[in-house]
Amino acid sequence: MSQKSKKPMTPTELKKIIADSRSKEWFINKTQGISFPYINFNTEIKGVSSIYEFSIQQINGWESLSSNLPEELHFSKNYFIAIKDSISQFVESYFDQENNTLDSYWNNVISQINNVSRFPLTYNCPESEFLISVYKNLPNSVTGAFYYITNQLNSNIINTKNYYVGTQLAYEFTMKDHTEISSRRNAEKSSISNIRNDFNKYLSKSENEIVEHLSNTNRKYEEYS
């Protein structure tokens, strides 16, 4: 009889483990950067459970989009799944360790975060929306557009009309800030950035409050017992 796969840890379950950990403050204050330089995405998230929730947000976001996505975007969801799984394993394995040990083994999570060799994107960035639109309208041109967006252009592979069309569409997309619609697009990007920053601030604040609440509840229960 085959063994059932383990159910993924929920953010609440993760926070409960952190609340009982020996180095709770380390988990609360740990700050990690996530960067996709090819689309000028750079963010810092404070709190291990906040990073965990961010990865889940991205996974759910990709799942909410049409399942008919170009092959180039399939890795994006898998990228965030790898981060989520590595954090879950880290917390379960080392929640009762000292700070120095945590710093050492956190490098395993960092290696997953820095693994951008296949150029993952966030589901809610303008570049993802653009590439999905190209795929719906000109599916054979999305590869050229993706390679342009992610700075992978190579003269040796621009050998088809469809590929060339994709690169031209991406060129026009990236240069749109020099057109009359620049104000609107800049406002859209600013709005997305503000939403992301507000979400990250909310996660960090929420993590501190929930972990403290869980710790206080556990302490009061122990005192009562």
Side-chain angles (χ1 to χ4, degrees):
M1 185 175 179
S2 61
Q3 186 179 3
K4 292 183 178 180
S5 59
K6 186 176 179 181
K7 186 178 180 181
M9 186 188 302
T10 67
T12 299
E13 291 170 337
L14 188 96
K15 289 172 183 175
K16 286 181 179 178
I17 294 176
I18 291 175
D20 292 333
S21 68
R22 180 185 301 179
S23 303
K24 179 183 66 178
E25 295 300 322
W26 186 95
F27 287 94
I28 292 175
N29 294 315
K30 184 63 180 178
T31 300
Q32 180 62 50
I34 300 177
S35 177
F36 304 150
Y38 40 91
I39 60 169
N40 295 320
F41 175 88
N42 187 40
T43 188
E44 283 197 345
I45 306 176
K46 182 179 180 182
V48 171
S49 72
S50 296
I51 304 168
Y52 190 71
E53 288 197 60
F54 174 75
S55 65
I56 291 176
Q57 178 208 29
Q58 289 296 318
I59 294 167
N60 292 340
W62 279 113
E63 289 178 346
S64 71
L65 298 174
S66 170
S67 58
N68 188 26
L69 293 175
E71 181 180 352
E72 289 79 7
L73 295 181
H74 286 173
F75 178 72
S76 295
K77 175 185 170 183
N78 294 334
Y79 167 82
F80 290 106
I81 289 176
I83 293 175
K84 177 183 70 68
D85 290 345
S86 66
I87 292 176
S88 175
Q89 182 179 6
F90 172 82
V91 172
E92 286 185 316
S93 301
Y94 307 114
F95 73 96
D96 205 28
Q97 299 295 320
E98 299 291 346
N99 288 9
N100 291 339
T101 302
L102 293 173
D103 284 328
S104 175
Y105 285 104
W106 182 252
N107 287 327
N108 294 329
V109 178
I110 293 177
S111 66
Q112 291 293 344
I113 292 175
N114 290 339
N115 181 23
V116 296
S117 59
R118 295 182 65 181
F119 303 92
L121 305 175
T122 59
Y123 81 94
N124 51 352
C125 68
E127 289 81 2
S128 293
E129 179 183 354
F130 163 72
L131 290 169
I132 292 172
S133 177
V134 172
Y135 185 64
K136 288 179 178 178
N137 295 288
L138 296 167
N140 294 327
S141 296
V142 71
T143 299
F146 178 79
Y147 273 49
Y148 188 98
I149 291 293
T150 54
N151 297 325
Q152 299 182 78
L153 282 184
N154 186 327
S155 60
N156 294 327
I157 58 177
I158 305 178
N159 54 10
T160 68
K161 178 181 176 180
N162 288 327
Y163 188 98
Y164 180 77
V165 168
T167 62
Q168 288 301 299
L169 290 172
Y171 168 78
E172 292 175 6
F173 170 79
T174 57
M175 296 298 290
K176 62 185 175 297
D177 289 342
H178 298 281
T179 68
E180 294 179 355
I181 63 172
S182 61
S183 296
R184 178 172 63 85
R185 296 302 300 182
N186 286 337
E188 290 174 355
K189 286 188 176 182
S190 177
S191 176
I192 291 173
S193 178
N194 289 335
I195 290 172
R196 183 175 66 242
N197 291 335
D198 289 344
F199 177 78
N200 291 342
K201 290 178 182 177
Y202 166 78
L203 285 181
S204 296
K205 181 180 179 182
S206 173
E207 176 182 42
N208 292 340
E209 292 175 349
I210 292 176
V211 170
E212 283 298 331
H213 173 72
L214 291 172
S215 296
N216 291 335
T217 300
N218 291 341
R219 185 169 58 253
K220 290 179 181 178
Y221 177 77
E222 291 172 358
E223 291 174 356
Y224 172 78
S225 299

